[in-house]
Amino acid sequence: MSLLFVASVLLLCTASCCALTCPNITGVPQVPLPYLDSVKFHYKIQISVDDLNQTLDATEYYDHVNNQTFLYLDQATMRSKMSYDYNFNQVFTVDELANTCSVADYNGTQGSVSLIGMHAEKGPQFVKYPFVWNSGYNATSMGVAVIDGIQTDHYQMCLSHEDGNLTYQLDIYFSSQNWSMPAGQNAPVRIDLNATVDSTTTGSHLYTYKFYDYHDSTSKELWKPDLPGDIVCEGRKDVPVAPDPPSQMQLRMEVVMGSYLQQVYQYFDYDNKMLRVDITGDNINTPHMNTIHNFKDGLQYMYYPATGLCDIKPIPPDSMFEDTVVVNSSLVSMIVPNHFGALANATYCGVTMFLGYKGHCWKANTVALAHDFYFNGTAAWVQDTYYNSVDEFNGMITPLGMKQVYTSQQNNGTVNYNVTYNYEFDMFDYHPRILDSDVFHATECFNESQKTEIILKFPNDVYPMIKASPANFSKAVVSATLEHSKVLPTRVVPKTPYTVIQEPDQKSKTNVTYVYVGVTLLGVPNVKGDSVEMVPQPSLAQAISDVKSAVQGGEFILRFNTNAEIAADSEYFNTQDDLIRGQQPSPPPAPSGGKVGVSTGVVVGVSVAMLIVGIMVGCFIMIYRSKRASSQYAYTMQD
């Protein structure tokens, strides 16, 4: 009877609380458990769960200086990544297989999370009572043990948790002081964890943690995880304020779809409300195409170099370049394209790598297009993800690239079906201003009868400017012409090279060097645009008259970045037609012995005879072509 009573007592004790109590260690010497680096450390773990016949891979990262903790668990059915942001007190949970991200507020302290504990196989968020390093634990020293060929110091300890239904019995192995490891001594090698639970708790009991690739703040290893990037995590608080983009910029893009590569050059000028996009293709599936959107005349100029054809029409409301906003059914206005930084309609998706650079990610909402631009489908949808880097010192934004998912709805005669295309736009050669002066002219879309070349004369003072920077000189010529002609940039074409001639000066009786500069003005398109930014346009004759008045009044002045100002010769103004008809004197011939050469794109010492011959030949071609040109647009350059 007494034996039965004792057995009953033992059974009750085992089923209730006695087995959940750590053994009595009174009188057993205790030593502090070794500490890991208090600055930062990370390692990889192989977790074996005995009850499930399963092994998992995991990574843990702790950065006590920058307030970051990162846990990653990889198994067959789940890849769970948890990132703790202590700056905003949030925890991010990413399921990489499902490509989902959730965000929750977190009130815990740094270092209070770990994969070492009960239910680690379910993910970091399910480990209710984790074992955490550097918590001031005392343990029993069990001497030296060889684990996986490594000499280790063996420690044993027991943790009984507050609610009384879970106890951890741990055997912990650190590399010995006299055993060299990549990150020094006392690196974690293995933990054997035996979890004892009461009858109301279910779960795996036996866990083995094998540590490898341990590094701390003294290591040369620079690996550092980031908060989730390239994925939308609704509710995250670490969203940067995207700075406003510059009002002018140009860049080059490579468009990649599978093995197909296409070059795109883009020029954006919000000040003058203009956009130019040059697309190079194989002239079969995607022909080479140059497109200009001029919102101040409301027109789209689309030129095909391979055929010489040009089409002028109002800017389409559903522009494929995403530079328009529709005010009403036909009236459009210019907006800043999203990949330049106007991200009001996009959702922040973190910091990620793009083209080898770390950048901010923004995902736009899916947009239904009015037309299927590329695949002639019955409908189309597009979703863009943008990647920008932001200079932390000056706040300047640099576009890195864009990924686009283009969905085309096709019909096989019976049912509709969707085809998805994935594009990547890699962006290079970005400049926050327009470097070229001639990118916005549309001379290819005008026949010769609508073009007039003006010839201006400048003193030799401009020659150093030309030699130093032909591009800046050309830009100064275009700027002055735009200022005084009051036409739009689509109607001004700079001409190079420039003619430098030595002429006898009647007053000084010496040879004086002058520079003759040509610039072409274009007529007014006979197609009516429709945009908010439209402004009245002077006729070609009026524009020429205004430039002539400015020259004769000494007001046609070239201005340079060096604050230098050089005015055109007020006594000289010619057009091609004037020279051919002989209404004004042409530049005199250079004196004998004049030097002839080429320097920095400038023709030096060209005689007036050659100048006249060149102009006459050009005019003959112009007259011949003007007789054959019959349309403002859609004409062939074969003429």
Side-chain angles (χ1 to χ4, degrees), residues 463 498-501 513 594-599 602-607:
Y463 183 69
Y498 311 107
T499 304
V500 181
I501 297 178
T513 302
K595 296 182 180 180
V596 179
V598 178
S599 175
V602 181
V603 179
V604 182
V606 179
S607 68

Side-chain angles (χ1 to χ4, degrees), residues 450-454 481-482 485 487 491-493 519-523 540 543-544 547:
Q450 295 176 304
K451 301 178 182 179
T452 297
E453 181 180 345
I454 296 171
T481 305
L482 289 171
S485 67
V487 302
R491 297 176 57 192
V492 176
V493 188
V519 60
T520 299
L521 289 176
L522 307 178
L540 178 58
I544 295 172
V547 173

Side-chain angles (χ1 to χ4, degrees), residues 488-540:
L488 299 177
T490 45
R491 297 176 57 192
V492 176
V493 188
K495 182 179 180 179
T496 56
Y498 311 107
T499 304
V500 181
I501 297 178
Q502 288 187 339
E503 302 175 1
D505 182 68
Q506 300 300 325
K507 295 181 180 179
S508 63
K509 306 299 182 181
T510 60
N511 291 334
V512 179
T513 302
Y514 294 98
V515 178
Y516 289 87
V517 177
V519 60
T520 299
L521 289 176
L522 307 178
V524 179
N526 57 15
V527 181
K528 180 175 174 56
D530 196 6
S531 65
V532 173
E533 296 88 352
M534 286 180 60
V535 295
Q537 284 293 292
S539 66
L540 178 58

